[in-house]
Amino acid sequence: MSVIEKTGALAARGDAAGKRAHNRLLILLAGLNLGMVIGVVYSWSIFVLPLEELHGWVRTQTSLTYTFMVAFQCVGLLTGGVLVARAGVRMPVVLGAFMLSVGFLGASMADTLPALYISYGMVAGVGLGIINVIPTAVCMSWYPEKRGLVSGLCHMSIPLGTLIYGSTMATLFIGSVGISMTFRILGIIFLAVSCICAIVLRMPPADFNLPGKAQDKPIVTVRSFTTRETLRSPSYKFIWLWVLTLQIGGFMATGHIAPFAVEMGLPEQYSGLAVGIFALGNGTGKLGLGFTSDKTGAKPAMFTGMSFMFLGLLGMALFSSLVGGWMVLPFSMLAAMGFGGLFSLLSVVLMSFYGTKNYGMHFAISSTPMIIAAFVGPYLGSFIRVWTGDYRYSFMAAAVLSALGFIWIANIKPPRGN
């Protein structure tokens, strides 16, 4: 081969690598935008007061909507896991976006509570779940050398969407055009943005090679386990228990952080600050612990996140009453970092242990503890508070419960054969 031919071949190879690098960056951006779209569904609290003022409903009635949404999201996760494995990613994205849009359009016309439960809680909840499994499944497959970081980015895009589409955009729309028209506008935006993302998103081809310097990084390739094999693997039950423990402890904290801070002496006008600090810690944990797992491995990062949560909950229970309500803030951020990193680390563990092909279904099944925790966590925190008359015992119980996570993590090991 002549020098000119060699030069041309190298240039063509470099162009191909550059194109692939560009393509996977574009796919990552599409995945992050898709995550932001579904983040608005978690902005339920923004819609509560306008709906109650419009229809005369009370909080005990409207709060069931969010409960339905959490429960049916898990139904959507399982559905999405099956669809991604059988039909790829584009069809589930469009289907999930269509259900989200229909759910919000239905909520805009709902004048009875059952109609609201069905539209926002059930239909939009299933759509949310179907889409939820896709950004991490696709983007982590394109970035096997940075799975933790990419997982953290994908999971952090959801609260970012809550901020941009929910706290900012929805609030502006509600103030200018009312709650019903806001639901309609958001429904149209969901469908448009999601369909654009669906055009871009795809799984990497079988002959995909990492571009440029990324090829120098060692990538461990594991075979893809079937769902039955995953469920039967010795470590999986400990993964599921780890998720359950973190979820219950986390929901015990998030459901009561503001009244606990006030009870400990934080001025009531600053109670919202406690919620904001917890949300900041949640997002920091998603990205930070995901990135940490790339450097240390999944298991050390899991121990780190568990330590954050345990020390944060314990600190709130023991030191807040001694120093004052302001002490709730740093400890709540520490606990939130551990809680926030849960799904970022879960995604890394599942894909690293059990492969990419059936990741969607594995993630869906591993998210089912959320159904239990969404009911048990807040209720258990309230029950202990009423029984003892002191929120500190609720947070102490959450700390003790989270300590079980160390036992579960210690028993999590890569399956044999990988």
Side-chain angles (χ1 to χ4, degrees), residues 9 12 37 99 129 143 178 206-207 213 239 241-242 250 288 302 318 333 343 389 395 404 413:
V37 164
M99 294 190 70
Y143 286 87
D207 61 346
K213 294 181 180 179
I239 294 174
L241 288 170
W242 166 66
M302 292 165 74
L318 295 181
M333 184 167 185
F343 284 116
F395 282 80
L404 292 174
K413 300 176 183 178

Side-chain angles (χ1 to χ4, degrees), residues 225 229-247 298-299 302 306 342-355 359 361-370 404-415 418:
F225 280 54
E229 288 176 324
T230 297
L231 295 177
R232 289 181 174 180
S233 68
S235 287
Y236 183 75
K237 59 179 176 293
F238 295 108
I239 294 174
W240 195 92
L241 288 170
W242 166 66
V243 175
L244 179 65
T245 297
L246 263 174
Q247 285 277 290
K299 197 165 181 177
M302 292 165 74
M306 202 75 250
L342 165 64
F343 284 116
S344 297
L345 295 176
L346 175 63
S347 295
V348 173
V349 169
L350 292 176
M351 194 167 284
S352 300
F353 282 16
Y354 306 115
Y359 163 81
M361 179 57 73
H362 297 161
F363 184 83
I365 295 172
S366 303
S367 301
T368 54
M370 184 167 56
L404 292 174
F406 293 110
I407 300 174
W408 312 142
I409 295 171
N411 286 278
I412 295 174
K413 300 176 183 178
N418 278 344

Side-chain angles (χ1 to χ4, degrees), residues 65-114:
T65 309
Y66 192 81
T67 302
F68 277 116
M69 188 273 289
V70 171
F72 278 84
Q73 177 191 356
C74 293
V75 175
L77 283 167
L78 294 169
T79 305
V82 172
L83 291 176
V84 168
R86 296 183 179 180
V89 298
R90 290 181 178 175
M91 187 275 281
V93 169
V94 174
L95 175 61
F98 177 75
M99 294 190 70
L100 270 177
S101 299
V102 170
F104 268 62
L105 291 173
S108 73
M109 298 180 286
D111 54 6
T112 64
L113 286 164

Side-chain angles (χ1 to χ4, degrees), residues 49 63 129 142 164 183-184 239 243 274 303 318 333 367 386 390 398:
L49 283 176
S63 62
W142 283 93
I164 294 175
F183 277 137
R184 293 167 193 163
I239 294 174
V243 175
F303 272 116
L318 295 181
M333 184 167 185
S367 301
V386 172
D390 192 332

Side-chain angles (χ1 to χ4, degrees), residues 37-360:
V37 164
I38 64 177
V40 74
V41 185
Y42 293 102
S43 302
W44 168 246
S45 59
I46 294 171
F47 307 126
V48 171
L49 283 176
L51 284 171
E52 291 175 351
E53 291 174 358
L54 179 64
H55 298 289
W57 297 327
V58 296
R59 191 62 44 86
T60 53
Q61 296 172 319
T62 56
S63 62
L64 279 175
T65 309
Y66 192 81
T67 302
F68 277 116
M69 188 273 289
V70 171
F72 278 84
Q73 177 191 356
C74 293
V75 175
L77 283 167
L78 294 169
T79 305
V82 172
L83 291 176
V84 168
R86 296 183 179 180
V89 298
R90 290 181 178 175
M91 187 275 281
V93 169
V94 174
L95 175 61
F98 177 75
M99 294 190 70
L100 270 177
S101 299
V102 170
F104 268 62
L105 291 173
S108 73
M109 298 180 286
D111 54 6
T112 64
L113 286 164
L116 183 65
Y117 298 156
I118 293 171
S119 58
Y120 194 106
M122 298 180 185
V123 177
V126 172
L128 164 66
I130 291 174
I131 294 178
N132 207 340
V133 302
I134 294 170
T136 50
V138 174
C139 295
M140 288 173 66
S141 298
W142 283 93
Y143 286 87
E145 82 284 15
K146 298 179 181 178
R147 279 177 178 162
L149 176 61
V150 170
S151 173
L153 286 170
C154 289
H155 287 291
M156 195 175 71
S157 69
I158 296 176
L160 185 61
T162 303
L163 174 64
I164 294 175
Y165 285 110
S167 299
T168 303
M169 185 182 295
T171 300
L172 290 174
F173 284 148
I174 290 171
S176 58
V177 298
I179 183 64
S180 296
M181 184 58 67
T182 297
F183 277 137
R184 293 167 193 163
I185 294 172
L186 290 175
I188 295 171
I189 291 175
F190 294 160
L191 193 58
V193 174
S194 298
C195 287
I196 293 173
C197 293
I199 295 172
V200 176
L201 289 172
R202 64 180 65 85
M203 297 298 284
D207 61 346
F208 170 69
N209 294 316
L210 292 175
K213 294 181 180 179
Q215 294 181 4
D216 300 332
K217 297 185 179 181
I219 305 299
V220 178
T221 303
V222 300
R223 75 176 182 89
S224 291
F225 280 54
T226 66
T227 301
R228 179 173 295 183
E229 288 176 324
T230 297
L231 295 177
R232 289 181 174 180
S233 68
S235 287
Y236 183 75
K237 59 179 176 293
F238 295 108
I239 294 174
W240 195 92
L241 288 170
W242 166 66
V243 175
L244 179 65
T245 297
L246 263 174
Q247 285 277 290
I248 293 178
F251 276 113
M252 286 178 72
T254 56
H256 303 281
I257 190 71
F260 170 66
V262 173
E263 188 174 284
M264 292 297 102
L266 186 72
E268 189 169 353
Q269 63 268 30
Y270 295 112
S271 61
L273 184 60
V275 178
I277 291 293
F278 195 94
L280 177 62
N282 193 303
T284 302
K286 291 179 188 299
L287 185 59
L289 288 174
F291 176 75
T292 299
S293 71
D294 286 333
K295 303 297 182 181
T296 66
K299 197 165 181 177
M302 292 165 74
F303 272 116
T304 300
M306 202 75 250
S307 299
F308 285 167
M309 186 158 180
F310 173 73
L311 293 174
L313 293 170
L314 189 66
M316 282 190 281
L318 295 181
F319 297 109
S320 296
S321 59
L322 298 177
V323 181
W326 289 101
M327 203 63 188
V328 171
L329 303 183
F331 281 116
S332 69
M333 184 167 185
L334 189 63
M337 288 172 64
F339 181 53
L342 165 64
F343 284 116
S344 297
L345 295 176
L346 175 63
S347 295
V348 173
V349 169
L350 292 176
M351 194 167 284
S352 300
F353 282 16
Y354 306 115
T356 60
K357 182 178 180 181
N358 298 303
Y359 163 81

